[in-house]
Amino acid sequence: MSEKNERQLRIVGFLCNWCSYGGADTAGVCRFKQPPLLRIIRIPCTGRMDPLFVVKALAQGADGVLVSGCHPKDCHYAVGNFYARRRLELVKRFLPFVGLDPRRFHYTWVSASEGQRWQEVVTEFSAVIQELGPNPGIGADTPMETAGQAASAFA
Amino acid sequence: MRIGVFVCQCGTNIAGTVDTRAVAQRALDYPDVVFATDYMYTCSEPGQQEIQNAIAEHRLQGVVVAACSPRMHEPTFRRAVEKAGLNRYMFEMANIREHVSWIGQDRAANTLKAMELVRMAVEKLRRNEPLFASEVPINKRVLVIGGGVAGIQAALDCADAGLDVVLVEREQSIGGKMAKLDKTFPTIDCSSCILGPKMVDVAQKENITLHAYSEVESVSGYIGNFTVKIRKKATYVDWDACTGCGLCMEKCPSKKTVDRFNEALGVTTAIQIPFPQAIPKKARIQKDACRYFTTGKCKVCQKICPTGAVHYDMEDREVVEEVGAIIVATGYDLFDPAPYGEYGAGRYPDVITGIQFERILSASGPFGGHVKRPSDGKEPKDIVFVACVGSRDKSVDRPYCSGICCMYIAKQAILARDHLPGVNCYVFYMDIRSPGKNYDEFVRRAIEEYGVQYIRGRVGKIYPNGDRMVVQGADTLLGAQVEVEADLVVLATGVESSRGAKELAEKLRISYDQYGFYMESHPKLRPVETNTAGVYLAGACQGPKDIPASVAQGSAAAAKVLALFARDTIATDPQVAGVLESACIGCGKCLSVCPFGAIQWKTLRDGSRKADVLETVCQGCGLCNATCPPKAIQLRHFTDDQILAELDALCA
């Protein structure tokens, strides 16, 4: 267990090319310091986000998954983030059912100008993941009541 | 595949907090990587040459560059590998500057992170395929949205080059804010004398179609081929028949209509031409002020009009324009000083805004150019100007500098002294910002030649005392509280984004910042481009700007359009969706989610129906890819395989 704790924690970020990827760039250009946990995968639009990506990442041992795109109504492709919002919300509620801790998954909206906001998003989510510690994988650390709550939220 | 990895030091930008040598060394352990090195400046000419040499020498089939953001230099490196004979899509970037070296100081953690990002890029590249662009024809017409000075300049430059231009203006006349100004800093040029001829040019150019009193309803299509729906709002006057004679204005009985052009300082008629130099010089009925529309009786203008142009039953009309590029020049609005209750704007008639004072100074203004105060029409003996009202103030969510107020205060103070030589002018300021050609000299002139008294400090309160106003503030240089009695107080209200800017941005699919100003592609190097190809920016819609900067941007945006239109076709982005027909089950989900109508049915010889992507229409969002149940439709360059490979590289 101690060995696992010493392993560096990793967050996978899926960022829309037009807004949040640019926001992360802006944060970099402004030298807004962030914890080094995040690894970013660039996607054209959050509408490209297959729910599978989130589940696979967490099932394969990523300690957190962060998805960020354009603010609703400001999608480069008009409606991509509306689809994303629905799908990602469902994914979040679905995670407890497959034994994954929903706190390890976060989605949000950051525009290309919001470098400061990006810094806050990364810092806050990194703190959450640091608090949770390494991801033990499927089934291990999902308290039954979390799953129960999620189930009742569905009903 | 034979892959080469190039790790950029970017001087010390990356090498300062990332061990680039170690990152390159580690890359040699990754599958298919046969060559790896680090280099001082990979984007430089010799740096690109290094890549090209390595491609030849090591027979590389794919290249990874670990450097800055791909939003910065991906096109540069794609061209470089293409020159060396590779397909431009056999290239990946790992962003180890903006996303690594610039956001953390921990060298060990940064180096590890950089190694992982390179690993992800290598794994993705191993699954890349060569892609080839196709060509679509360009419709060489341009739409300019906004007829202020920036939009006028852009429209004229495009028209001079022979393009067909469509100019849309929300108000009844073009001219924008500049048309309301009396004089311009730092030359004291008469504003309407320098803008007027340009406005007339717009009206006279045969290849400019002007839609005034019109708004953009919707925009569809993409670079080279946009379809724009424009709503021509009802004016109740047939502009083809109206000659602008003004007879209707003389006879209209509703003479108490608030004059918006004169910033509510005067009154006008319900049927109106906003100002004498208006283009188009056509009348419009303001419905809520018109006696006929409010009471059902009157029709004086209809009876008097010599050409029978007045039609009370007119309705909004929609026109459709097809264009290949769009220039957005929607300008700005001025801050409403109401949140500053302590200044009393709106409560005291002699506390006015800068633009109101501009109208007072103007010969075509409410007082015919005589400087009088609104309350009793007396000539003021003391005028106080208050700078930074709605600028550099977080408490009203306007932390930015509006850039123009320092200069327009100096100009107005000089003009006030010109009009009324005996008047005393005081300016309360925070700092004087005058970084333009001859700008600081102009402020010095106001102080030294015209004797305008500058007091460094904020105003705390403005209250009436008899028929005068008392301005209470701090003099931070003296370290004392001061009170100045004045007949007239001018609040130098700052610049904010134009009303409706966000809604328009959403129609155009361009981004805006938290204050509603439009985002340029790159703050330094692509100032008039947006991230939506074919849409360009000019003027204050991008951020506060003075007239010279707005004009320069108008010309710059026009130059960008001309460069685009110099070719007959445009290469489409080949990063589009493609269908694996053997896997497609014909469910049609991709057809229903595609925002662009880029997917259609195709019937195979066996009678089964399959999805088929129109490659020139597809914009590459990947919505269909995420939706497709059997994953038969894949977004090229961002396939499931490629994204999952990046994920595997990180998690496995």
Short mmCIF file of all heavy atoms in Angstrom, two decimals, chain A residues 8 10 17-18 21 24-25 28 31 33-34 38-42 44 47-48 50 60 73-74 76-77 83 87 113, chain B residues 69-71 74 95 98-99 102-103 105 112-113 116 506 509-510 519 531-532 621 625-627 631 638 640 648:
data_model
loop_
_atom_site.label_atom_id
_atom_site.label_comp_id
_atom_site.label_asym_id
_atom_site.label_seq_id
_atom_site.Cartn_x
_atom_site.Cartn_y
_atom_site.Cartn_z
N GLN A 8 3.37 8.36 -8.44
CA GLN A 8 2.82 9.69 -8.74
C GLN A 8 1.39 9.57 -9.27
O GLN A 8 1.09 8.72 -10.10
CB GLN A 8 3.71 10.40 -9.77
CG GLN A 8 3.65 11.90 -9.58
CD GLN A 8 3.96 12.66 -10.85
OE1 GLN A 8 3.89 12.14 -11.94
NE2 GLN A 8 4.32 13.91 -10.68
N ARG A 10 -1.95 10.47 -11.32
CA ARG A 10 -2.13 10.97 -12.68
C ARG A 10 -3.59 11.29 -12.97
O ARG A 10 -4.46 10.48 -12.70
CB ARG A 10 -1.67 9.92 -13.69
CG ARG A 10 -0.19 9.91 -13.91
CD ARG A 10 0.17 8.95 -15.02
NE ARG A 10 1.60 8.75 -15.03
CZ ARG A 10 2.23 7.94 -14.20
NH1 ARG A 10 1.55 7.25 -13.31
NH2 ARG A 10 3.54 7.81 -14.26
N ASN A 17 -10.25 21.38 -28.29
CA ASN A 17 -9.19 22.14 -28.96
C ASN A 17 -9.46 23.64 -28.98
O ASN A 17 -8.55 24.45 -28.95
CB ASN A 17 -9.08 21.59 -30.39
CG ASN A 17 -8.11 22.39 -31.24
OD1 ASN A 17 -6.97 22.58 -30.85
ND2 ASN A 17 -8.58 22.87 -32.37
N TRP A 18 -10.75 24.02 -29.03
CA TRP A 18 -11.07 25.42 -29.33
C TRP A 18 -11.14 26.28 -28.08
O TRP A 18 -10.87 27.47 -28.14
CB TRP A 18 -12.40 25.50 -30.08
CG TRP A 18 -12.32 24.72 -31.34
CD1 TRP A 18 -12.81 23.45 -31.54
CD2 TRP A 18 -11.67 25.09 -32.55
NE1 TRP A 18 -12.50 23.03 -32.79
CE2 TRP A 18 -11.81 24.02 -33.44
CE3 TRP A 18 -11.00 26.24 -32.96
CZ2 TRP A 18 -11.28 24.05 -34.73
CZ3 TRP A 18 -10.48 26.27 -34.24
CH2 TRP A 18 -10.63 25.17 -35.11
N TYR A 21 -8.40 23.76 -24.29
CA TYR A 21 -6.99 23.55 -24.62
C TYR A 21 -6.30 24.92 -24.73
O TYR A 21 -5.21 25.12 -24.24
CB TYR A 21 -6.84 22.76 -25.92
CG TYR A 21 -5.45 22.18 -26.10
CD1 TYR A 21 -5.16 20.88 -25.68
CD2 TYR A 21 -4.43 22.93 -26.68
CE1 TYR A 21 -3.89 20.36 -25.82
CE2 TYR A 21 -3.15 22.40 -26.82
CZ TYR A 21 -2.89 21.11 -26.40
OH TYR A 21 -1.62 20.60 -26.54
N ALA A 24 -5.87 26.32 -21.27
CA ALA A 24 -4.69 25.75 -20.62
C ALA A 24 -3.42 26.40 -21.18
O ALA A 24 -2.47 26.66 -20.44
CB ALA A 24 -4.65 24.24 -20.82
N ASP A 25 -3.42 26.69 -22.48
CA ASP A 25 -2.29 27.41 -23.08
C ASP A 25 -2.17 28.81 -22.47
O ASP A 25 -1.08 29.26 -22.12
CB ASP A 25 -2.48 27.55 -24.60
CG ASP A 25 -2.13 26.26 -25.34
OD1 ASP A 25 -1.69 25.30 -24.68
OD2 ASP A 25 -2.32 26.22 -26.57
N GLY A 28 -0.66 28.74 -19.22
CA GLY A 28 0.78 28.53 -19.35
C GLY A 28 1.51 29.81 -19.71
O GLY A 28 2.50 30.18 -19.10
N ARG A 31 1.97 31.94 -16.96
CA ARG A 31 2.75 31.29 -15.91
C ARG A 31 1.93 31.05 -14.64
O ARG A 31 2.41 31.24 -13.53
CB ARG A 31 4.00 32.11 -15.55
CG ARG A 31 4.85 32.59 -16.71
CD ARG A 31 5.43 31.45 -17.52
NE ARG A 31 6.56 31.86 -18.35
CZ ARG A 31 6.47 32.42 -19.55
NH1 ARG A 31 5.28 32.63 -20.09
NH2 ARG A 31 7.55 32.74 -20.24
N LYS A 33 0.87 28.81 -12.05
CA LYS A 33 1.39 27.53 -11.57
C LYS A 33 0.26 26.54 -11.26
O LYS A 33 -0.77 26.92 -10.70
CB LYS A 33 2.23 27.76 -10.31
CG LYS A 33 3.44 28.67 -10.55
CD LYS A 33 4.53 27.96 -11.33
CE LYS A 33 5.68 28.89 -11.70
NZ LYS A 33 5.44 29.69 -12.93
N GLN A 34 0.49 25.27 -11.65
CA GLN A 34 -0.50 24.22 -11.41
C GLN A 34 0.20 22.96 -10.95
O GLN A 34 1.34 22.72 -11.32
CB GLN A 34 -1.26 23.91 -12.72
CG GLN A 34 -2.04 25.08 -13.30
CD GLN A 34 -2.18 24.99 -14.81
OE1 GLN A 34 -2.43 23.93 -15.37
NE2 GLN A 34 -1.99 26.10 -15.48
N LEU A 38 -1.67 16.50 -14.12
CA LEU A 38 -2.55 16.40 -15.29
C LEU A 38 -1.78 16.08 -16.57
O LEU A 38 -0.72 16.63 -16.83
CB LEU A 38 -3.29 17.73 -15.46
CG LEU A 38 -4.27 17.84 -16.61
CD1 LEU A 38 -5.47 16.95 -16.38
CD2 LEU A 38 -4.71 19.29 -16.78
N ARG A 39 -2.34 15.16 -17.37
CA ARG A 39 -1.82 14.87 -18.72
C ARG A 39 -2.97 15.12 -19.69
O ARG A 39 -4.02 14.49 -19.57
CB ARG A 39 -1.39 13.40 -18.85
CG ARG A 39 -0.48 12.91 -17.73
CD ARG A 39 0.94 13.44 -17.90
NE ARG A 39 1.85 12.90 -16.91
CZ ARG A 39 2.12 13.48 -15.74
NH1 ARG A 39 1.54 14.60 -15.39
NH2 ARG A 39 2.99 12.92 -14.91
N ILE A 40 -2.74 16.00 -20.65
CA ILE A 40 -3.86 16.44 -21.48
C ILE A 40 -3.90 15.72 -22.82
O ILE A 40 -2.88 15.62 -23.52
CB ILE A 40 -3.79 17.97 -21.70
CG1 ILE A 40 -4.05 18.68 -20.37
CG2 ILE A 40 -4.80 18.42 -22.75
CD1 ILE A 40 -3.79 20.17 -20.41
N ILE A 41 -5.07 15.22 -23.20
CA ILE A 41 -5.30 14.67 -24.53
C ILE A 41 -6.19 15.67 -25.26
O ILE A 41 -7.25 16.05 -24.77
CB ILE A 41 -5.99 13.28 -24.46
CG1 ILE A 41 -5.05 12.27 -23.79
CG2 ILE A 41 -6.41 12.83 -25.85
CD1 ILE A 41 -5.67 10.89 -23.60
N ARG A 42 -5.73 16.09 -26.42
CA ARG A 42 -6.48 17.10 -27.18
C ARG A 42 -7.54 16.43 -28.04
O ARG A 42 -7.23 15.50 -28.79
CB ARG A 42 -5.52 17.89 -28.07
CG ARG A 42 -6.18 19.01 -28.84
CD ARG A 42 -5.16 20.01 -29.36
NE ARG A 42 -4.31 19.44 -30.40
CZ ARG A 42 -4.07 20.06 -31.57
NH1 ARG A 42 -4.62 21.22 -31.83
NH2 ARG A 42 -3.28 19.51 -32.45
N PRO A 44 -11.13 17.34 -30.64
CA PRO A 44 -11.65 18.49 -31.39
C PRO A 44 -12.81 19.18 -30.68
O PRO A 44 -13.03 20.37 -30.86
CB PRO A 44 -12.09 17.90 -32.73
CG PRO A 44 -12.20 16.44 -32.51
CD PRO A 44 -11.26 16.09 -31.40
N GLY A 47 -17.91 17.02 -27.71
CA GLY A 47 -18.86 16.13 -28.38
C GLY A 47 -18.20 14.85 -28.88
O GLY A 47 -18.86 13.84 -29.13
N ARG A 48 -16.88 14.89 -29.02
CA ARG A 48 -16.12 13.71 -29.44
C ARG A 48 -15.96 12.72 -28.27
O ARG A 48 -15.57 11.58 -28.47
CB ARG A 48 -14.74 14.15 -29.97
CG ARG A 48 -13.75 13.03 -30.31
CD ARG A 48 -14.20 12.26 -31.51
NE ARG A 48 -13.38 11.09 -31.79
CZ ARG A 48 -13.58 9.88 -31.26
NH1 ARG A 48 -14.55 9.70 -30.40
NH2 ARG A 48 -12.81 8.87 -31.59
N ASP A 50 -16.29 10.00 -26.00
CA ASP A 50 -17.03 8.76 -25.85
C ASP A 50 -17.03 8.43 -24.37
O ASP A 50 -15.97 8.46 -23.74
CB ASP A 50 -16.29 7.68 -26.65
CG ASP A 50 -17.17 6.46 -26.88
OD1 ASP A 50 -17.78 6.01 -25.89
OD2 ASP A 50 -17.23 5.99 -28.02
N GLN A 60 -8.40 1.57 -16.04
CA GLN A 60 -6.99 1.22 -16.27
C GLN A 60 -6.05 1.86 -15.26
O GLN A 60 -4.85 1.72 -15.38
CB GLN A 60 -6.58 1.66 -17.68
CG GLN A 60 -7.20 0.79 -18.75
CD GLN A 60 -6.73 1.18 -20.14
OE1 GLN A 60 -6.14 2.23 -20.32
NE2 GLN A 60 -6.99 0.32 -21.10
N LYS A 73 -23.50 26.91 -25.30
CA LYS A 73 -23.91 27.93 -26.28
C LYS A 73 -22.72 28.52 -27.02
O LYS A 73 -22.90 29.23 -27.99
CB LYS A 73 -24.73 29.06 -25.65
CG LYS A 73 -26.13 28.63 -25.25
CD LYS A 73 -26.86 29.75 -24.59
CE LYS A 73 -27.48 30.68 -25.64
NZ LYS A 73 -28.18 31.81 -25.00
N ASP A 74 -21.48 28.26 -26.56
CA ASP A 74 -20.33 28.85 -27.24
C ASP A 74 -19.51 27.78 -27.96
O ASP A 74 -18.32 27.93 -28.13
CB ASP A 74 -19.45 29.59 -26.21
CG ASP A 74 -18.49 30.56 -26.88
OD1 ASP A 74 -18.75 30.92 -28.04
OD2 ASP A 74 -17.48 30.93 -26.26
N HIS A 76 -17.77 25.61 -30.75
CA HIS A 76 -17.26 25.88 -32.09
C HIS A 76 -18.08 25.16 -33.15
O HIS A 76 -18.14 25.57 -34.30
CB HIS A 76 -15.79 25.44 -32.15
CG HIS A 76 -15.11 25.77 -33.44
ND1 HIS A 76 -14.69 27.04 -33.74
CD2 HIS A 76 -14.79 25.02 -34.51
CE1 HIS A 76 -14.14 27.04 -34.93
NE2 HIS A 76 -14.18 25.83 -35.42
N TYR A 77 -18.67 24.04 -32.75
CA TYR A 77 -19.49 23.26 -33.68
C TYR A 77 -20.98 23.40 -33.34
O TYR A 77 -21.76 22.49 -33.57
CB TYR A 77 -19.08 21.80 -33.64
CG TYR A 77 -17.61 21.58 -33.96
CD1 TYR A 77 -16.70 21.32 -32.96
CD2 TYR A 77 -17.15 21.67 -35.27
CE1 TYR A 77 -15.35 21.14 -33.24
CE2 TYR A 77 -15.82 21.49 -35.56
CZ TYR A 77 -14.92 21.22 -34.55
OH TYR A 77 -13.59 21.04 -34.85
N TYR A 83 -24.43 17.89 -26.33
CA TYR A 83 -24.41 16.43 -26.29
C TYR A 83 -23.46 15.96 -25.19
O TYR A 83 -23.77 15.05 -24.43
CB TYR A 83 -23.96 15.87 -27.64
CG TYR A 83 -25.02 15.92 -28.71
CD1 TYR A 83 -25.10 16.98 -29.60
CD2 TYR A 83 -25.94 14.88 -28.84
CE1 TYR A 83 -26.07 17.03 -30.58
CE2 TYR A 83 -26.91 14.92 -29.82
CZ TYR A 83 -26.98 16.00 -30.69
OH TYR A 83 -27.94 16.04 -31.66
N ARG A 87 -24.19 13.49 -21.94
CA ARG A 87 -23.50 12.21 -21.83
C ARG A 87 -22.64 12.16 -20.57
O ARG A 87 -22.64 11.17 -19.85
CB ARG A 87 -22.61 12.00 -23.05
CG ARG A 87 -23.41 11.66 -24.28
CD ARG A 87 -22.52 11.62 -25.50
NE ARG A 87 -23.34 11.39 -26.69
CZ ARG A 87 -22.93 11.64 -27.91
NH1 ARG A 87 -21.73 12.14 -28.11
NH2 ARG A 87 -23.73 11.40 -28.93
N SER A 113 -9.94 32.19 -23.06
CA SER A 113 -9.41 33.38 -22.40
C SER A 113 -9.27 33.17 -20.89
O SER A 113 -8.66 33.97 -20.21
CB SER A 113 -10.33 34.57 -22.66
OG SER A 113 -11.56 34.37 -22.02
N SER B 69 2.76 24.80 -27.69
CA SER B 69 1.40 24.32 -27.99
C SER B 69 1.23 24.10 -29.49
O SER B 69 1.71 24.90 -30.30
CB SER B 69 0.38 25.37 -27.53
OG SER B 69 -0.89 25.01 -28.01
N PRO B 70 0.55 23.02 -29.87
CA PRO B 70 0.27 22.83 -31.30
C PRO B 70 -0.57 23.97 -31.88
O PRO B 70 -0.55 24.20 -33.09
CB PRO B 70 -0.51 21.51 -31.34
CG PRO B 70 -0.95 21.25 -29.94
CD PRO B 70 0.02 21.94 -29.04
N ARG B 71 -1.26 24.69 -31.01
CA ARG B 71 -2.02 25.85 -31.51
C ARG B 71 -1.07 26.93 -32.01
O ARG B 71 -1.47 27.83 -32.72
CB ARG B 71 -2.91 26.41 -30.40
CG ARG B 71 -4.16 25.57 -30.17
CD ARG B 71 -4.82 25.89 -28.85
NE ARG B 71 -5.19 27.29 -28.73
CZ ARG B 71 -6.42 27.75 -28.86
NH1 ARG B 71 -7.40 26.94 -29.15
NH2 ARG B 71 -6.66 29.03 -28.71
N GLU B 74 2.02 23.94 -34.82
CA GLU B 74 1.72 22.72 -35.57
C GLU B 74 1.80 22.95 -37.08
O GLU B 74 2.41 22.15 -37.80
CB GLU B 74 0.34 22.17 -35.17
CG GLU B 74 0.09 20.77 -35.66
CD GLU B 74 -1.19 20.20 -35.06
OE1 GLU B 74 -2.27 20.80 -35.28
OE2 GLU B 74 -1.10 19.20 -34.34
N ASN B 95 2.91 18.98 -26.09
CA ASN B 95 2.96 20.35 -25.56
C ASN B 95 3.67 20.34 -24.21
O ASN B 95 3.05 20.12 -23.18
CB ASN B 95 1.53 20.89 -25.44
CG ASN B 95 1.49 22.33 -24.99
OD1 ASN B 95 2.47 22.88 -24.52
ND2 ASN B 95 0.33 22.95 -25.16
N GLU B 98 3.63 25.24 -22.64
CA GLU B 98 2.45 25.80 -21.97
C GLU B 98 1.89 24.85 -20.92
O GLU B 98 1.36 25.28 -19.91
CB GLU B 98 1.36 26.13 -23.00
CG GLU B 98 1.59 27.42 -23.76
CD GLU B 98 2.49 27.24 -24.97
OE1 GLU B 98 3.18 26.20 -25.05
OE2 GLU B 98 2.52 28.12 -25.85
N HIS B 99 1.97 23.53 -21.20
CA HIS B 99 1.33 22.58 -20.28
C HIS B 99 2.30 21.94 -19.30
O HIS B 99 1.90 21.12 -18.48
CB HIS B 99 0.61 21.48 -21.07
CG HIS B 99 -0.58 22.00 -21.86
ND1 HIS B 99 -1.43 21.19 -22.55
CD2 HIS B 99 -1.03 23.26 -22.03
CE1 HIS B 99 -2.36 21.93 -23.14
NE2 HIS B 99 -2.14 23.18 -22.85
N TRP B 102 6.05 25.84 -18.16
CA TRP B 102 5.64 27.17 -17.71
C TRP B 102 4.71 27.13 -16.51
O TRP B 102 4.38 28.17 -15.94
CB TRP B 102 4.95 27.93 -18.87
CG TRP B 102 5.94 28.60 -19.78
CD1 TRP B 102 7.29 28.73 -19.58
CD2 TRP B 102 5.67 29.26 -21.02
NE1 TRP B 102 7.87 29.40 -20.61
CE2 TRP B 102 6.90 29.75 -21.52
CE3 TRP B 102 4.49 29.48 -21.76
CZ2 TRP B 102 6.99 30.45 -22.72
CZ3 TRP B 102 4.59 30.17 -22.95
CH2 TRP B 102 5.82 30.65 -23.43
N ILE B 103 4.24 25.94 -16.14
CA ILE B 103 3.25 25.93 -15.05
C ILE B 103 3.76 25.23 -13.80
O ILE B 103 3.01 25.05 -12.84
CB ILE B 103 1.91 25.29 -15.49
CG1 ILE B 103 2.14 23.85 -15.95
CG2 ILE B 103 1.25 26.11 -16.58
CD1 ILE B 103 0.84 23.06 -16.08
N GLN B 105 7.56 24.33 -11.28
CA GLN B 105 9.00 24.55 -11.06
C GLN B 105 9.73 23.25 -10.73
O GLN B 105 10.95 23.20 -10.73
CB GLN B 105 9.20 25.54 -9.89
CG GLN B 105 8.65 26.94 -10.14
CD GLN B 105 9.40 27.69 -11.21
OE1 GLN B 105 10.50 27.28 -11.61
NE2 GLN B 105 8.82 28.77 -11.72
N LEU B 112 9.31 14.10 -15.87
CA LEU B 112 8.49 12.89 -15.95
C LEU B 112 7.23 13.16 -16.79
O LEU B 112 6.86 12.37 -17.67
CB LEU B 112 8.09 12.42 -14.55
CG LEU B 112 7.14 11.23 -14.50
CD1 LEU B 112 7.84 9.97 -15.01
CD2 LEU B 112 6.60 10.99 -13.09
N LYS B 113 6.61 14.30 -16.53
CA LYS B 113 5.39 14.64 -17.26
C LYS B 113 5.70 14.79 -18.76
O LYS B 113 4.95 14.30 -19.61
CB LYS B 113 4.81 15.94 -16.69
CG LYS B 113 3.46 16.32 -17.27
CD LYS B 113 2.87 17.52 -16.54
CE LYS B 113 1.60 17.99 -17.22
NZ LYS B 113 1.04 19.21 -16.61
N GLU B 116 6.05 11.48 -20.41
CA GLU B 116 4.76 10.82 -20.64
C GLU B 116 4.00 11.44 -21.80
O GLU B 116 3.35 10.74 -22.57
CB GLU B 116 3.93 10.86 -19.35
CG GLU B 116 4.56 10.01 -18.25
CD GLU B 116 3.68 9.86 -17.03
OE1 GLU B 116 2.58 10.47 -16.99
OE2 GLU B 116 4.10 9.15 -16.11
N GLU B 506 -22.10 33.71 -30.74
CA GLU B 506 -22.63 32.35 -30.78
C GLU B 506 -23.13 32.00 -32.18
O GLU B 506 -23.00 30.86 -32.63
CB GLU B 506 -23.74 32.20 -29.72
CG GLU B 506 -23.12 32.02 -28.34
CD GLU B 506 -23.98 32.51 -27.18
OE1 GLU B 506 -25.19 32.72 -27.39
OE2 GLU B 506 -23.43 32.68 -26.07
N ARG B 509 -19.99 31.37 -34.15
CA ARG B 509 -19.15 30.33 -33.55
C ARG B 509 -17.73 30.84 -33.31
O ARG B 509 -16.75 30.17 -33.55
CB ARG B 509 -19.13 29.07 -34.41
CG ARG B 509 -20.52 28.48 -34.66
CD ARG B 509 -20.44 27.11 -35.27
NE ARG B 509 -19.77 27.10 -36.54
CZ ARG B 509 -20.37 27.32 -37.70
NH1 ARG B 509 -21.67 27.57 -37.74
NH2 ARG B 509 -19.69 27.29 -38.83
N ILE B 510 -17.62 32.10 -32.82
CA ILE B 510 -16.32 32.61 -32.41
C ILE B 510 -16.34 32.77 -30.88
O ILE B 510 -17.42 32.80 -30.28
CB ILE B 510 -15.96 33.95 -33.09
CG1 ILE B 510 -16.99 35.04 -32.76
CG2 ILE B 510 -15.86 33.77 -34.60
CD1 ILE B 510 -16.62 36.39 -33.35
N MET B 519 -12.42 37.09 -29.13
CA MET B 519 -11.07 36.55 -28.99
C MET B 519 -10.38 36.47 -30.34
O MET B 519 -10.91 35.87 -31.27
CB MET B 519 -11.12 35.15 -28.42
CG MET B 519 -11.53 35.08 -26.97
SD MET B 519 -10.15 35.38 -25.88
CE MET B 519 -9.17 33.94 -26.20
N ASN B 531 -10.60 32.03 -34.26
CA ASN B 531 -10.34 30.60 -34.37
C ASN B 531 -11.31 29.92 -35.32
O ASN B 531 -11.21 28.73 -35.56
CB ASN B 531 -10.37 29.94 -33.00
CG ASN B 531 -9.04 30.14 -32.29
OD1 ASN B 531 -8.00 30.25 -32.94
ND2 ASN B 531 -9.07 30.21 -30.98
N THR B 532 -12.27 30.67 -35.84
CA THR B 532 -13.16 30.12 -36.86
C THR B 532 -12.65 30.60 -38.21
O THR B 532 -12.64 31.81 -38.47
CB THR B 532 -14.60 30.57 -36.61
OG1 THR B 532 -15.00 30.06 -35.34
CG2 THR B 532 -15.54 30.03 -37.68
N CYS B 621 -15.94 17.56 -35.97
CA CYS B 621 -16.17 17.67 -34.53
C CYS B 621 -16.12 16.32 -33.83
O CYS B 621 -15.80 16.23 -32.66
CB CYS B 621 -17.49 18.37 -34.23
SG CYS B 621 -18.97 17.46 -34.71
N ASN B 625 -18.82 10.18 -34.27
CA ASN B 625 -17.93 9.11 -33.82
C ASN B 625 -18.34 8.65 -32.42
O ASN B 625 -18.44 7.46 -32.13
CB ASN B 625 -16.49 9.65 -33.82
CG ASN B 625 -15.45 8.57 -33.71
OD1 ASN B 625 -14.30 8.76 -34.06
ND2 ASN B 625 -15.82 7.40 -33.17
N ALA B 626 -18.60 9.63 -31.55
CA ALA B 626 -18.97 9.29 -30.18
C ALA B 626 -20.36 8.66 -30.13
O ALA B 626 -20.69 7.91 -29.22
CB ALA B 626 -18.91 10.52 -29.29
N THR B 627 -21.20 8.99 -31.12
CA THR B 627 -22.58 8.52 -31.11
C THR B 627 -22.74 7.13 -31.71
O THR B 627 -23.57 6.34 -31.27
CB THR B 627 -23.47 9.52 -31.91
OG1 THR B 627 -23.24 10.83 -31.41
CG2 THR B 627 -24.94 9.16 -31.80
N LYS B 631 -19.33 1.93 -33.75
CA LYS B 631 -18.08 2.67 -34.01
C LYS B 631 -17.63 2.50 -35.47
O LYS B 631 -16.44 2.34 -35.74
CB LYS B 631 -16.97 2.24 -33.05
CG LYS B 631 -17.32 2.44 -31.59
CD LYS B 631 -17.56 3.90 -31.30
CE LYS B 631 -18.25 4.11 -29.96
NZ LYS B 631 -18.96 5.38 -29.87
N PHE B 638 -8.39 11.49 -35.16
CA PHE B 638 -8.83 11.41 -33.77
C PHE B 638 -9.70 10.15 -33.61
O PHE B 638 -10.78 10.20 -33.03
CB PHE B 638 -9.64 12.65 -33.37
CG PHE B 638 -8.80 13.90 -33.30
CD1 PHE B 638 -8.75 14.79 -34.36
CD2 PHE B 638 -8.06 14.20 -32.16
CE1 PHE B 638 -7.98 15.94 -34.30
CE2 PHE B 638 -7.28 15.34 -32.09
CZ PHE B 638 -7.25 16.22 -33.16
N ASP B 640 -10.99 6.37 -32.41
CA ASP B 640 -11.04 5.71 -31.10
C ASP B 640 -9.69 5.06 -30.80
O ASP B 640 -9.17 5.16 -29.69
CB ASP B 640 -12.14 4.66 -31.07
CG ASP B 640 -13.52 5.29 -31.07
OD1 ASP B 640 -13.63 6.47 -30.67
OD2 ASP B 640 -14.48 4.61 -31.48
N ASP B 648 -3.81 4.51 -23.14
CA ASP B 648 -3.05 3.32 -22.74
C ASP B 648 -1.62 3.70 -22.38
O ASP B 648 -1.07 3.21 -21.39
CB ASP B 648 -3.00 2.30 -23.89
CG ASP B 648 -4.32 1.55 -23.99
OD1 ASP B 648 -5.12 1.64 -23.04
OD2 ASP B 648 -4.55 0.89 -25.03
#
